[in-house]
Structure formats: C-alpha cells, structure tokens
C-alpha cells in the first residue's frame, strides 16, 4: 500500500491550458502537482500549432515569391526544407525537449511529476512509475487537461504501416516525393498545402463531400479550387477502404481506384482516451468522447476539465480561456463563466479561413430567421490592389429578429486577422445598424466587411 502524498490541486496533462492553470495556481500559493507523461506544453508547441505554423510561414514565402512575375519583376525560388526542419528543431521545440517549460513551472513553485496519471478515486490520482507508483490526494480537486491524440480510423491494412500523424510530420527532415493525406479537415488541409508548395505531389482524400466540411460550403469550394490550381489532387466523397504498404510505397484503395504515394499522412481527427484516464472512478462516463462541464468547467465535485477533452473546440485559445475560468473558480475570484457564442477558429491555409459563431446551416437548424451577406475579396479595393493571391470572401450570418450577427467567415489574405472585428461584433451583439454605419479604413482587407453587410440593410 503506497502512502498518499497530499497536495492542493492535481493537474493531469500539461497542455496549454493545464500549464497555464497549474502555473497560475502555484503562483497564487497553492501546492500544485502536475502530472505529465510527454512534454510540458502539450501538443501545440511540439507537434501542433507552432511547428505547423512555421511550416506554413515558409510555404507562404514560396507562394508569394511565385507571385512576383507580372507584379514586381522576376523571381525564382528553389524550395529547401532543411531550414524549416532546423527551425522547428532549434527554435520551436528544442529538439522536443521541455526543460525550459518544466523549469518555468518549477520557478512558479509547482511540482511536476513525469508519468501517466490515472484517477483512482475522488481527489486521488495514481502515477505509474518504473520503480513503483505514487499516489496523490488533492485537498481542492483535480483539473483534467489530458488533451487528444490522433484518431486512427479502423481502415483495413492501415495499422502496422509506417504512416505519419501530425507527431511524425513535424519531425520530417525531408519532404516526400509524394504523399496521400487521409482527412481534409484543418490539419490535413494545412499540411497538404505546405508539402505541395515544397514539391511533394499531394492527394487529399476526404470521406465527406467537401474539404473543411465544418466550414461554410463557400469556404470548402474556395479551398478545393485553390488546391486544384496549385496541383493538389482532391478526392472528396471518397472513404478509404483499404491501405497497404510495400517496397516503400503506400496504396490507398477507394471506390475502385488505387492511390499510390511514398508517404501517407493520417489526419482524420482527434480522440481522448477517457477510459485510460480512469474517469469512472469519479462517476464520469469512460466511453464518452468528451467530458461535459458547466460554465465553470466543473465536471464533477472537485473535478474540472479544460481543453480539447471538453469538446468545445480543439484550439489552444479555448484551452487557455477555460484554464483562466478554472483558476478564478478555484481561487474563488468569481467573474464570468464560459461563453461559447463567439469561438473563433482559423484554418491557416492560403487563403486563411477564419470563422466564428454559427454557419448559415447551423443558424437555420437553430430555428433563427436567418439573413446572410457575402462579398468576394478580389472585388474589394484592397483585394483588387493585392491581385495575385487575393482569393477570398467574407460571409456574415445574421439573426433577423434581433438584428445582430450570429456567425461570420473571413477567408482570404489575413483572413484570421480580419476575423477579429467580426468576433467582437458577434460576442458583443453589436447591432447590424451600428456595424453598417461606421467607417472602415480604406483600403484594408477588413473594409470588405462593409460590403458583406450591405444585403443586411433591411435590418438597419
Ligand atoms: C497539427 C496541429 C495543428 C494545430 N494548430 C492549431 C492552431 O493553429 N491553433 C489552435 O488554436 N490550435 C491548434 N491545434 C490544436 C491545439 O494543439 C490543441 O487544441 C491544444 O494543444 C490544446 O490542447 P489541450 O490543452 O486539450 O491539451 P494537449 O495540448 O493535447 O496536451 C495534453 C497533455 O496531456 C498529457 N496527458 C494526457 N493524458 C495524460 C495522463 N493520463 N497523465 C499524464 N499526462 C497526460 C499529454 O501527454 C499532453 O502533453 C493544432 C493541433 C494539431 C494536431
């Protein structure tokens, strides 16, 4: 019988939110025990947002250089992956070493335990270690931030092949000659475009009828058009039936066709393993995909959950936002509970697809009296001036009864940046009349919002 060690708060998983919450609670004077079995910081800095955005920055430089002819003279670019791979190793991930983050947490007074934590009772977490196990008992409670891992679909033949997930592709030291990407969501689309711009022959295979299917159909059509123009093959409505790997070549069988490529990236979603976490011990459903929480991120008595596992949007900003709420709740500081009306998300393809709130279809399903407005970025002053690489649109979705926006998509150059104005409008429920009667700086990309709002004149 292992003697339990007492602590105030146990944080399981040090993703972006867990790291923030654990650090803030330790700085506030609580005894915080954080359990992490991989890297402090989680998926985002080592395998997700940061390395992928470094790749995208490099790939966009190549694309911009290719846009020089006809606009600014001549330019040739010879893509070279080695500076990208080196930058990810040296600047982003420290060769996948989290010493800096672990030291930062210790500097705040936190206690890091490396190993896999399992909830073994109310307020109790057991960490299995090579030389036995340690049991921790929390006086205040447990914060679950176990995140997600790549979900591998049960496709015949796939298991056992040397396919890549996001955790492998960010470590690539060379680009493959050819690559099939299973999954046309945000992660698959971003990596597909990066590698295509570096010379890989890329095919994207998506089981659903369109790429980035959670976005407005106009966004899917735009990305598919841009991809095809850039030489990326797009197969939609095409569930992969079988995969094989022989002599360094992957074959993906779908609907009578066989796609062959040197590499296969599986980007078919994310999953959280709640059974392995032991949530049954605190009365939560181990077979569920997510941990439901209230506005204060409470999942059960003395249990909070944050991040991807809450199913409120698998984004770093969501994990951090929820972590702030948990910190306030545990410290008894009050404030506002979680509000998910205006959660922004950005797919960092070129053009970027930024969106917030409800899509038109979701607004209709919610029973709202919907009005929409849409404008094409190339027809705006700035889009026309920008010329090469100006693909994009802004779409707004309004609740006609309340005369406020409930959703918006901003696709185009800086689409994610333009989104912020729309996010404020939705979150603060700014009346459409106010949005329509204010000057937008000329000639910015965000000025196209004014054009998108024009069909909503009737609401002003
Ligand atoms: C390729 C890619 C690109 C992305 N790009 C973006 C982007 O541009 N913008 C954005 O906002 N989001 C992006 N994301 C999503 C983002 O990475 C996650 O939403 C973010 O990391 C928040 O996750 P989290 O806090 O839930 O935990 P995670 O980051 O998943 O971390 C959870 C941690 O918990 C640990 N853990 C799990 N179980 C246990 C256990 N039982 N015991 C101990 N430790 C455990 C894991 O080892 C891990 O370190 C991207 C993701 C991927 C994969």
């Amino acid at each position: 019988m292992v003697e339990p060690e007492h602590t105030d708060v146990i944080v399981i998983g040090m993703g972006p939110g867990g790291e923030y919450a654990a650090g803030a609670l330790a700085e506030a004077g609580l005894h915080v025990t954080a359990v992490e079995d991989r890297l402090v910081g989680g998926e985002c800095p080592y395998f997700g947002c940061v390395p992928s955005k470094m790749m995208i920055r490099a790939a966009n430089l190549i694309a911009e250089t290719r846009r020089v002819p006809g606009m600014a003279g001549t330019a040739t670019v010879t893509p070279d992956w080695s500076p990208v791979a080196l930058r990810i190793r040296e600047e982003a991930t420290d060769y996948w070493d989290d010493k800096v983050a672990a030291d930062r947490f210790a500097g705040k007074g936190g206690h890091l335990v490396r190993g896999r934590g399992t909830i073994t009772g109310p307020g109790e977490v057991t960490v299995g270690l090579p030389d036995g196990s340690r049991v921790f008992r929390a006086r205040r409670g447990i914060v679950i931030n176990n995140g997600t891992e790549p979900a591998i679909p049960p496709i015949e033949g796939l298991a056992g092949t040397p396919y890549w997930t996001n955790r492998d592709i960010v470590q690539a030291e060379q680009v493959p000659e050819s690559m099939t990407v299973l999954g046309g969501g945000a992660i698959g689309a971003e990596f597909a475009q990066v590698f295509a711009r570096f010379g890989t022959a890329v095919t994207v295979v998506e089981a659903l009828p369109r790429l980035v299917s959670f976005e407005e159909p106009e966004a899917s059509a735009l990305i598919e058009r841009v991809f095809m123009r850039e030489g990326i093959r797009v197969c939609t409505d095409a569930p992969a039936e079988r995969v094989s790997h022989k002599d360094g070549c992957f074959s993906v069988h779908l609907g009578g066709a066989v796609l062959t490529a040197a590499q296969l990236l599986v980007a078919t979603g994310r999953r959280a393993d709640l059974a392995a976490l032991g949530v049954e011990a605190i009365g939560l459903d181990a077979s569920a995909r997510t941990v439901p929480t209230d506005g204060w991120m409470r999942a059960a008595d003395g249990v909070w959950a944050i991040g991807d596992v809450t199913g409120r949007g698998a984004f770093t900003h969501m994990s951090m936002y929820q972590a702030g709420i948990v910190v306030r709740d545990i410290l008894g500081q009050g404030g506002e509970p979680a509000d998910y009306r205006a959660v922004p998300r950005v797919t960092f393809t070129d053009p970027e697809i930024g969106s917030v709130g409800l899509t038109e279809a979701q607004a209709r399903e919610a029973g709202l009296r919907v009005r929409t407005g849409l404008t094409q970025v190339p027809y705006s002053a700035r889009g026309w001036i920008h010329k090469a690489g100006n693909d994009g649109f802004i779409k707004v979705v309004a609740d006609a009864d309340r005369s406020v926006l409930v959703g918006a998509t901003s696709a185009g150059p800086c689409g994610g940046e333009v989104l912020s104005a729309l996010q404020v409008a939705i979150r603060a429920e700014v009346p459409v009349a106010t949005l329509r009667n204010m000057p937008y700086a000329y000639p910015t990309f965000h000025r196209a919002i004014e054009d998108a709002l024009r069909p909503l004149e009737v609401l002003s």
Side-chain angles (χ1 to χ4, degrees), residues 12-18 35-45 47-50 52-53 115-118 145-149 166-167 170 187 190-191 270 276-277 306-309 313-320 346 348:
I12 307 178
M14 288 283 268
V35 186
E36 171 55 59
D37 76 338
R38 286 165 68 90
L39 294 164
V40 175
E43 202 79 4
C44 177
F47 305 104
C49 332
V50 179
S52 66
K53 265 77 251 179
R116 195 150 194 87
T118 307
N145 179 227
N146 61 326
T148 48
E149 55 191 22
N166 65 292
R167 292 179 181 170
V170 298
I187 293 173
E190 288 181 3
F191 285 131
R270 314 277 307 169
L277 189 61
I306 56 177
D308 293 5
V309 73
F315 313 114
T316 289
H317 46 269
M318 184 50 63
S319 185
M320 303 285 291
V346 180
F348 290 89

Short mmCIF file of all heavy atoms in Angstrom, two decimals, residues 12-18 35-45 47-50 52-53 115-118 145-149 166-167 170 187 190-191 270 276-277 306-309 313-320 346 348, ligand 1:
data_model
loop_
_atom_site.label_atom_id
_atom_site.label_comp_id
_atom_site.label_asym_id
_atom_site.label_seq_id
_atom_site.Cartn_x
_atom_site.Cartn_y
_atom_site.Cartn_z
N ILE A 12 -3.85 16.99 -14.38
CA ILE A 12 -3.43 15.83 -15.20
C ILE A 12 -3.32 16.30 -16.63
O ILE A 12 -4.31 16.61 -17.29
CB ILE A 12 -4.45 14.68 -15.13
CG1 ILE A 12 -4.73 14.29 -13.67
CG2 ILE A 12 -3.93 13.47 -15.91
CD1 ILE A 12 -5.77 13.19 -13.54
N GLY A 13 -2.10 16.35 -17.13
CA GLY A 13 -1.84 16.80 -18.50
C GLY A 13 -1.47 18.27 -18.50
O GLY A 13 -2.19 19.10 -17.95
N MET A 14 -0.33 18.54 -19.10
CA MET A 14 0.16 19.93 -19.15
C MET A 14 0.10 20.45 -20.57
O MET A 14 1.09 20.85 -21.17
CB MET A 14 1.58 20.00 -18.59
CG MET A 14 1.62 19.80 -17.09
SD MET A 14 1.10 21.29 -16.18
CE MET A 14 2.70 22.10 -15.95
N GLY A 15 -1.11 20.39 -21.17
CA GLY A 15 -1.34 21.09 -22.42
C GLY A 15 -1.30 22.59 -22.15
O GLY A 15 -1.02 23.00 -21.01
N PRO A 16 -1.60 23.41 -23.15
CA PRO A 16 -1.50 24.87 -22.93
C PRO A 16 -2.34 25.34 -21.74
O PRO A 16 -1.88 26.15 -20.93
CB PRO A 16 -2.04 25.45 -24.23
CG PRO A 16 -1.84 24.38 -25.25
CD PRO A 16 -1.96 23.07 -24.53
N GLY A 17 -3.55 24.81 -21.61
CA GLY A 17 -4.41 25.24 -20.50
C GLY A 17 -3.94 24.70 -19.17
O GLY A 17 -3.93 25.41 -18.16
N GLY A 18 -3.56 23.42 -19.15
CA GLY A 18 -3.07 22.82 -17.92
C GLY A 18 -1.83 23.52 -17.42
O GLY A 18 -1.69 23.80 -16.22
N VAL A 35 0.87 16.37 -13.43
CA VAL A 35 1.31 15.07 -13.93
C VAL A 35 1.35 15.13 -15.46
O VAL A 35 0.34 15.47 -16.09
CB VAL A 35 0.33 13.95 -13.48
CG1 VAL A 35 0.87 12.59 -13.87
CG2 VAL A 35 0.09 14.03 -11.98
N GLU A 36 2.48 14.83 -16.03
CA GLU A 36 2.61 14.90 -17.49
C GLU A 36 3.46 13.73 -17.97
O GLU A 36 4.55 13.50 -17.46
CB GLU A 36 3.26 16.24 -17.89
CG GLU A 36 3.64 16.37 -19.37
CD GLU A 36 2.48 16.10 -20.33
OE1 GLU A 36 1.48 16.82 -20.25
OE2 GLU A 36 2.60 15.18 -21.17
N ASP A 37 2.95 13.01 -18.96
CA ASP A 37 3.72 11.84 -19.40
C ASP A 37 4.44 12.05 -20.72
O ASP A 37 5.11 11.15 -21.21
CB ASP A 37 2.85 10.57 -19.43
CG ASP A 37 1.93 10.52 -20.62
OD1 ASP A 37 1.63 11.59 -21.18
OD2 ASP A 37 1.50 9.41 -20.97
N ARG A 38 4.29 13.25 -21.31
CA ARG A 38 5.06 13.53 -22.52
C ARG A 38 5.85 14.81 -22.30
O ARG A 38 6.88 14.79 -21.66
CB ARG A 38 4.15 13.62 -23.75
CG ARG A 38 3.64 12.23 -24.20
CD ARG A 38 2.47 12.36 -25.14
NE ARG A 38 2.85 12.95 -26.42
CZ ARG A 38 3.25 12.25 -27.48
NH1 ARG A 38 3.32 10.94 -27.41
NH2 ARG A 38 3.55 12.83 -28.60
N LEU A 39 5.33 15.93 -22.85
CA LEU A 39 6.08 17.18 -22.79
C LEU A 39 5.24 18.29 -22.19
O LEU A 39 4.08 18.46 -22.57
CB LEU A 39 6.53 17.57 -24.21
CG LEU A 39 7.54 16.63 -24.87
CD1 LEU A 39 7.60 16.88 -26.38
CD2 LEU A 39 8.92 16.82 -24.25
N VAL A 40 5.82 19.04 -21.28
CA VAL A 40 5.10 20.16 -20.68
C VAL A 40 4.83 21.21 -21.76
O VAL A 40 5.76 21.70 -22.41
CB VAL A 40 5.93 20.79 -19.52
CG1 VAL A 40 5.24 22.04 -18.99
CG2 VAL A 40 6.15 19.76 -18.42
N GLY A 41 3.57 21.52 -21.96
CA GLY A 41 3.16 22.43 -23.04
C GLY A 41 2.18 21.73 -23.97
O GLY A 41 1.38 22.37 -24.63
N GLY A 42 2.28 20.39 -24.02
CA GLY A 42 1.30 19.61 -24.78
C GLY A 42 1.53 19.61 -26.28
O GLY A 42 2.65 19.81 -26.77
N GLU A 43 0.47 19.39 -27.00
CA GLU A 43 0.54 19.19 -28.45
C GLU A 43 0.96 20.46 -29.20
O GLU A 43 1.73 20.41 -30.15
CB GLU A 43 -0.86 18.76 -28.94
CG GLU A 43 -0.87 18.01 -30.25
CD GLU A 43 -0.46 16.55 -30.10
OE1 GLU A 43 -0.24 16.08 -28.98
OE2 GLU A 43 -0.34 15.88 -31.14
N CYS A 44 0.43 21.59 -28.75
CA CYS A 44 0.57 22.84 -29.52
C CYS A 44 2.03 23.23 -29.82
O CYS A 44 2.40 23.40 -30.97
CB CYS A 44 -0.19 23.95 -28.80
SG CYS A 44 -0.04 25.56 -29.57
N PRO A 45 2.89 23.36 -28.80
CA PRO A 45 4.24 23.83 -29.12
C PRO A 45 5.14 22.79 -29.78
O PRO A 45 6.09 23.15 -30.49
CB PRO A 45 4.81 24.25 -27.77
CG PRO A 45 4.00 23.52 -26.75
CD PRO A 45 2.66 23.27 -27.36
N PHE A 47 4.01 19.57 -31.42
CA PHE A 47 3.51 18.73 -32.53
C PHE A 47 2.35 19.40 -33.28
O PHE A 47 1.79 18.78 -34.19
CB PHE A 47 3.02 17.38 -31.98
CG PHE A 47 4.04 16.64 -31.18
CD1 PHE A 47 3.96 16.59 -29.79
CD2 PHE A 47 5.11 16.00 -31.81
CE1 PHE A 47 4.90 15.91 -29.05
CE2 PHE A 47 6.06 15.33 -31.07
CZ PHE A 47 5.97 15.28 -29.68
N GLY A 48 1.94 20.56 -32.86
CA GLY A 48 0.73 21.16 -33.44
C GLY A 48 0.94 22.55 -33.98
O GLY A 48 1.72 22.77 -34.92
N CYS A 49 0.28 23.50 -33.33
CA CYS A 49 0.20 24.88 -33.83
C CYS A 49 1.56 25.46 -34.25
O CYS A 49 1.71 25.95 -35.36
CB CYS A 49 -0.36 25.82 -32.77
SG CYS A 49 -1.46 25.10 -31.57
N VAL A 50 2.52 25.41 -33.33
CA VAL A 50 3.75 26.18 -33.57
C VAL A 50 4.58 25.60 -34.73
O VAL A 50 4.87 26.31 -35.70
CB VAL A 50 4.57 26.34 -32.28
CG1 VAL A 50 5.85 27.11 -32.55
CG2 VAL A 50 3.73 27.05 -31.22
N SER A 52 3.59 23.62 -37.09
CA SER A 52 2.84 23.67 -38.35
C SER A 52 2.79 25.10 -38.90
O SER A 52 2.87 25.31 -40.10
CB SER A 52 1.43 23.08 -38.18
OG SER A 52 0.64 23.87 -37.33
N LYS A 53 2.69 26.07 -38.00
CA LYS A 53 2.65 27.46 -38.50
C LYS A 53 4.02 27.92 -39.00
O LYS A 53 4.12 28.78 -39.88
CB LYS A 53 2.10 28.40 -37.43
CG LYS A 53 0.61 28.64 -37.54
CD LYS A 53 -0.27 27.52 -37.04
CE LYS A 53 -1.01 26.72 -38.03
NZ LYS A 53 -1.82 25.64 -37.45
N GLY A 115 5.01 11.12 -15.74
CA GLY A 115 4.41 9.78 -15.75
C GLY A 115 2.95 9.89 -16.15
O GLY A 115 2.44 10.99 -16.36
N ARG A 116 2.30 8.76 -16.27
CA ARG A 116 0.90 8.73 -16.69
C ARG A 116 0.00 8.68 -15.46
O ARG A 116 0.13 7.78 -14.63
CB ARG A 116 0.69 7.51 -17.58
CG ARG A 116 -0.58 7.56 -18.35
CD ARG A 116 -0.55 6.86 -19.68
NE ARG A 116 -1.71 7.29 -20.45
CZ ARG A 116 -1.76 8.34 -21.21
NH1 ARG A 116 -0.70 9.09 -21.38
NH2 ARG A 116 -2.86 8.68 -21.85
N GLY A 117 -0.89 9.64 -15.36
CA GLY A 117 -1.77 9.72 -14.21
C GLY A 117 -3.09 9.01 -14.47
O GLY A 117 -3.65 9.11 -15.56
N THR A 118 -3.57 8.28 -13.48
CA THR A 118 -4.88 7.64 -13.56
C THR A 118 -5.69 8.07 -12.34
O THR A 118 -5.17 8.04 -11.21
CB THR A 118 -4.74 6.10 -13.56
OG1 THR A 118 -3.81 5.74 -14.58
CG2 THR A 118 -6.07 5.42 -13.85
N ASN A 145 -6.69 17.87 -18.00
CA ASN A 145 -6.28 18.54 -19.26
C ASN A 145 -5.48 17.52 -20.08
O ASN A 145 -4.36 17.76 -20.49
CB ASN A 145 -5.43 19.80 -18.97
CG ASN A 145 -4.96 20.50 -20.24
OD1 ASN A 145 -3.79 20.87 -20.40
ND2 ASN A 145 -5.85 20.70 -21.19
N ASN A 146 -6.12 16.37 -20.30
CA ASN A 146 -5.39 15.27 -20.95
C ASN A 146 -5.33 15.40 -22.46
O ASN A 146 -4.64 14.63 -23.13
CB ASN A 146 -6.02 13.93 -20.58
CG ASN A 146 -7.46 13.84 -21.04
OD1 ASN A 146 -8.16 14.85 -21.04
ND2 ASN A 146 -7.91 12.67 -21.42
N GLY A 147 -6.05 16.39 -23.03
CA GLY A 147 -5.94 16.65 -24.46
C GLY A 147 -6.44 15.52 -25.34
O GLY A 147 -7.24 14.68 -24.92
N THR A 148 -5.93 15.52 -26.55
CA THR A 148 -6.34 14.50 -27.52
C THR A 148 -5.11 13.97 -28.25
O THR A 148 -4.05 14.59 -28.23
CB THR A 148 -7.30 15.09 -28.57
OG1 THR A 148 -6.76 16.32 -29.06
CG2 THR A 148 -8.68 15.31 -28.00
N GLU A 149 -5.31 12.83 -28.88
CA GLU A 149 -4.25 12.24 -29.70
C GLU A 149 -4.83 11.95 -31.08
O GLU A 149 -6.06 11.92 -31.23
CB GLU A 149 -3.70 10.98 -29.04
CG GLU A 149 -4.78 9.97 -28.75
CD GLU A 149 -4.29 8.84 -27.86
OE1 GLU A 149 -3.30 9.01 -27.16
OE2 GLU A 149 -4.94 7.78 -27.90
N ASN A 166 0.38 13.84 -37.22
CA ASN A 166 0.98 15.17 -37.02
C ASN A 166 2.26 15.07 -36.21
O ASN A 166 3.18 15.90 -36.36
CB ASN A 166 -0.01 16.11 -36.33
CG ASN A 166 -0.36 15.69 -34.91
OD1 ASN A 166 -1.01 14.67 -34.71
ND2 ASN A 166 0.07 16.47 -33.93
N ARG A 167 2.36 14.04 -35.36
CA ARG A 167 3.53 13.93 -34.49
C ARG A 167 4.78 13.52 -35.26
O ARG A 167 5.90 13.74 -34.81
CB ARG A 167 3.25 12.96 -33.35
CG ARG A 167 2.21 13.55 -32.41
CD ARG A 167 1.85 12.64 -31.27
NE ARG A 167 0.82 13.27 -30.44
CZ ARG A 167 0.16 12.66 -29.49
NH1 ARG A 167 0.42 11.40 -29.22
NH2 ARG A 167 -0.75 13.30 -28.79
N VAL A 170 5.77 16.73 -38.27
CA VAL A 170 6.51 17.91 -37.80
C VAL A 170 7.99 17.60 -37.59
O VAL A 170 8.79 18.50 -37.43
CB VAL A 170 5.90 18.51 -36.50
CG1 VAL A 170 4.48 18.96 -36.73
CG2 VAL A 170 5.99 17.52 -35.34
N ILE A 187 -6.26 20.27 -40.18
CA ILE A 187 -4.88 19.78 -40.08
C ILE A 187 -4.41 19.18 -41.40
O ILE A 187 -3.33 19.49 -41.90
CB ILE A 187 -4.77 18.75 -38.92
CG1 ILE A 187 -5.00 19.48 -37.58
CG2 ILE A 187 -3.42 18.06 -38.93
CD1 ILE A 187 -5.09 18.55 -36.37
N GLU A 190 -3.93 22.01 -44.06
CA GLU A 190 -2.72 22.84 -43.85
C GLU A 190 -1.46 22.09 -44.30
O GLU A 190 -0.64 22.61 -45.05
CB GLU A 190 -2.61 23.22 -42.37
CG GLU A 190 -3.64 24.25 -41.92
CD GLU A 190 -3.49 24.65 -40.45
OE1 GLU A 190 -2.53 24.17 -39.78
OE2 GLU A 190 -4.32 25.44 -39.96
N PHE A 191 -1.31 20.84 -43.84
CA PHE A 191 -0.09 20.09 -44.21
C PHE A 191 -0.06 19.80 -45.71
O PHE A 191 1.01 19.81 -46.34
CB PHE A 191 0.00 18.79 -43.42
CG PHE A 191 0.41 18.96 -41.98
CD1 PHE A 191 -0.31 18.36 -40.96
CD2 PHE A 191 1.53 19.70 -41.64
CE1 PHE A 191 0.07 18.50 -39.63
CE2 PHE A 191 1.92 19.86 -40.31
CZ PHE A 191 1.19 19.25 -39.31
N ARG A 270 -9.26 13.67 -33.94
CA ARG A 270 -8.56 13.51 -32.67
C ARG A 270 -9.45 12.74 -31.70
O ARG A 270 -10.68 12.72 -31.84
CB ARG A 270 -8.28 14.89 -32.06
CG ARG A 270 -7.71 15.91 -33.02
CD ARG A 270 -6.24 15.83 -33.22
NE ARG A 270 -5.46 15.86 -32.02
CZ ARG A 270 -4.14 15.60 -31.99
NH1 ARG A 270 -3.50 15.27 -33.10
NH2 ARG A 270 -3.47 15.65 -30.86
N ALA A 276 -8.74 5.19 -20.16
CA ALA A 276 -7.38 5.07 -19.62
C ALA A 276 -7.14 6.09 -18.51
O ALA A 276 -6.31 5.87 -17.62
CB ALA A 276 -6.37 5.27 -20.75
N LEU A 277 -7.87 7.19 -18.56
CA LEU A 277 -7.70 8.22 -17.53
C LEU A 277 -8.37 7.83 -16.21
O LEU A 277 -8.09 8.41 -15.17
CB LEU A 277 -8.30 9.54 -18.06
CG LEU A 277 -8.06 10.81 -17.28
CD1 LEU A 277 -6.56 11.11 -17.19
CD2 LEU A 277 -8.78 11.98 -17.93
N ILE A 306 -10.58 20.95 -18.86
CA ILE A 306 -10.30 22.04 -19.82
C ILE A 306 -9.63 21.47 -21.07
O ILE A 306 -9.06 20.39 -21.05
CB ILE A 306 -9.38 23.12 -19.20
CG1 ILE A 306 -8.08 22.50 -18.68
CG2 ILE A 306 -10.09 23.88 -18.11
CD1 ILE A 306 -7.09 23.53 -18.13
N GLY A 307 -9.76 22.22 -22.15
CA GLY A 307 -9.05 21.87 -23.37
C GLY A 307 -9.86 20.99 -24.30
O GLY A 307 -11.09 20.90 -24.21
N ASP A 308 -9.16 20.33 -25.21
CA ASP A 308 -9.81 19.53 -26.26
C ASP A 308 -10.85 18.57 -25.69
O ASP A 308 -11.89 18.32 -26.30
CB ASP A 308 -8.76 18.69 -27.02
CG ASP A 308 -7.79 19.53 -27.85
OD1 ASP A 308 -7.87 20.78 -27.77
OD2 ASP A 308 -6.97 18.93 -28.56
N VAL A 309 -10.56 18.00 -24.52
CA VAL A 309 -11.42 16.95 -23.96
C VAL A 309 -12.82 17.46 -23.62
O VAL A 309 -13.75 16.67 -23.49
CB VAL A 309 -10.73 16.31 -22.72
CG1 VAL A 309 -10.77 17.26 -21.53
CG2 VAL A 309 -11.37 14.99 -22.37
N GLY A 313 -14.23 22.85 -28.82
CA GLY A 313 -13.33 23.43 -29.83
C GLY A 313 -11.92 23.06 -29.47
O GLY A 313 -11.44 23.46 -28.40
N ALA A 314 -11.27 22.29 -30.35
CA ALA A 314 -9.92 21.82 -30.06
C ALA A 314 -8.91 22.87 -30.51
O ALA A 314 -8.24 22.74 -31.54
CB ALA A 314 -9.66 20.48 -30.77
N PHE A 315 -8.83 23.92 -29.71
CA PHE A 315 -7.93 25.03 -30.04
C PHE A 315 -7.15 25.43 -28.79
O PHE A 315 -7.69 25.39 -27.68
CB PHE A 315 -8.70 26.27 -30.52
CG PHE A 315 -9.75 25.96 -31.54
CD1 PHE A 315 -11.08 26.14 -31.24
CD2 PHE A 315 -9.40 25.48 -32.79
CE1 PHE A 315 -12.06 25.86 -32.17
CE2 PHE A 315 -10.37 25.20 -33.73
CZ PHE A 315 -11.71 25.38 -33.43
N THR A 316 -5.95 25.90 -29.02
CA THR A 316 -5.15 26.38 -27.90
C THR A 316 -5.85 27.53 -27.18
O THR A 316 -5.86 27.60 -25.95
CB THR A 316 -3.76 26.80 -28.42
OG1 THR A 316 -3.07 25.60 -28.77
CG2 THR A 316 -2.96 27.55 -27.38
N HIS A 317 -6.46 28.43 -27.96
CA HIS A 317 -7.11 29.58 -27.29
C HIS A 317 -8.28 29.12 -26.41
O HIS A 317 -8.59 29.75 -25.41
CB HIS A 317 -7.54 30.65 -28.29
CG HIS A 317 -8.25 30.14 -29.50
ND1 HIS A 317 -7.61 29.79 -30.66
CD2 HIS A 317 -9.56 29.92 -29.74
CE1 HIS A 317 -8.49 29.39 -31.55
NE2 HIS A 317 -9.70 29.45 -31.01
N MET A 318 -8.93 28.02 -26.78
CA MET A 318 -10.03 27.52 -25.96
C MET A 318 -9.49 26.92 -24.66
O MET A 318 -10.02 27.16 -23.57
CB MET A 318 -10.83 26.47 -26.76
CG MET A 318 -12.06 25.96 -26.06
SD MET A 318 -13.13 27.25 -25.43
CE MET A 318 -13.61 28.07 -26.94
N SER A 319 -8.41 26.16 -24.77
CA SER A 319 -7.79 25.56 -23.59
C SER A 319 -7.35 26.66 -22.60
O SER A 319 -7.59 26.56 -21.39
CB SER A 319 -6.60 24.71 -24.04
OG SER A 319 -6.03 24.01 -22.99
N MET A 320 -6.75 27.71 -23.15
CA MET A 320 -6.27 28.81 -22.29
C MET A 320 -7.44 29.58 -21.67
O MET A 320 -7.41 29.96 -20.50
CB MET A 320 -5.41 29.79 -23.10
CG MET A 320 -4.23 29.17 -23.80
SD MET A 320 -2.89 28.78 -22.70
CE MET A 320 -2.32 30.38 -22.23
N VAL A 346 -9.36 29.29 -36.97
CA VAL A 346 -8.71 29.65 -38.23
C VAL A 346 -8.02 28.43 -38.81
O VAL A 346 -7.28 27.75 -38.11
CB VAL A 346 -7.67 30.78 -38.01
CG1 VAL A 346 -7.00 31.14 -39.34
CG2 VAL A 346 -8.31 32.02 -37.39
N PHE A 348 -5.21 27.67 -41.28
CA PHE A 348 -4.15 28.53 -41.80
C PHE A 348 -3.66 28.09 -43.17
O PHE A 348 -2.46 28.02 -43.42
CB PHE A 348 -3.00 28.59 -40.79
CG PHE A 348 -3.37 29.36 -39.54
CD1 PHE A 348 -3.96 28.71 -38.47
CD2 PHE A 348 -3.17 30.73 -39.46
CE1 PHE A 348 -4.33 29.41 -37.32
CE2 PHE A 348 -3.52 31.44 -38.33
CZ PHE A 348 -4.11 30.78 -37.25
C1 LIG B 1 -1.19 19.76 -36.35
C2 LIG B 1 -1.99 20.58 -35.39
C3 LIG B 1 -2.10 21.94 -35.59
C4 LIG B 1 -2.82 22.71 -34.70
N1 LIG B 1 -2.91 24.05 -34.93
C5 LIG B 1 -3.61 24.82 -34.10
C6 LIG B 1 -3.69 26.22 -34.29
O1 LIG B 1 -3.14 26.76 -35.24
N2 LIG B 1 -4.40 26.95 -33.41
C7 LIG B 1 -5.03 26.38 -32.33
O2 LIG B 1 -5.65 27.09 -31.55
N3 LIG B 1 -4.97 25.05 -32.12
C8 LIG B 1 -4.29 24.26 -32.96
N4 LIG B 1 -4.20 22.92 -32.73
C9 LIG B 1 -4.91 22.34 -31.57
C10 LIG B 1 -4.08 22.52 -30.29
O3 LIG B 1 -2.82 21.93 -30.42
C11 LIG B 1 -4.82 21.96 -29.08
O4 LIG B 1 -6.15 22.39 -29.08
C12 LIG B 1 -4.09 22.45 -27.85
O5 LIG B 1 -2.86 21.80 -27.72
C13 LIG B 1 -4.90 22.34 -26.57
O6 LIG B 1 -4.97 21.04 -26.18
P1 LIG B 1 -5.20 20.61 -24.68
O7 LIG B 1 -4.93 21.72 -23.74
O8 LIG B 1 -6.51 19.96 -24.58
O9 LIG B 1 -4.07 19.50 -24.41
P2 LIG B 1 -2.88 18.93 -25.26
O10 LIG B 1 -2.10 20.00 -25.89
O11 LIG B 1 -3.39 17.83 -26.11
O12 LIG B 1 -1.98 18.35 -24.11
C14 LIG B 1 -2.43 17.34 -23.23
C15 LIG B 1 -1.25 16.80 -22.46
O13 LIG B 1 -1.71 15.86 -21.51
C16 LIG B 1 -0.80 14.78 -21.42
N5 LIG B 1 -1.55 13.64 -20.89
C17 LIG B 1 -2.65 13.06 -21.42
N6 LIG B 1 -3.10 12.08 -20.61
C18 LIG B 1 -2.27 12.06 -19.54
C19 LIG B 1 -2.21 11.28 -18.36
N7 LIG B 1 -3.13 10.35 -18.12
N8 LIG B 1 -1.21 11.52 -17.49
C20 LIG B 1 -0.29 12.47 -17.74
N9 LIG B 1 -0.29 13.24 -18.85
C21 LIG B 1 -1.27 13.04 -19.73
C22 LIG B 1 -0.32 14.60 -22.84
O14 LIG B 1 0.94 13.97 -22.85
C23 LIG B 1 -0.25 16.06 -23.32
O15 LIG B 1 1.04 16.61 -23.12
C24 LIG B 1 -3.47 22.11 -33.59
C25 LIG B 1 -3.35 20.73 -33.38
C26 LIG B 1 -2.63 19.97 -34.26
C27 LIG B 1 -2.52 18.50 -34.01
#
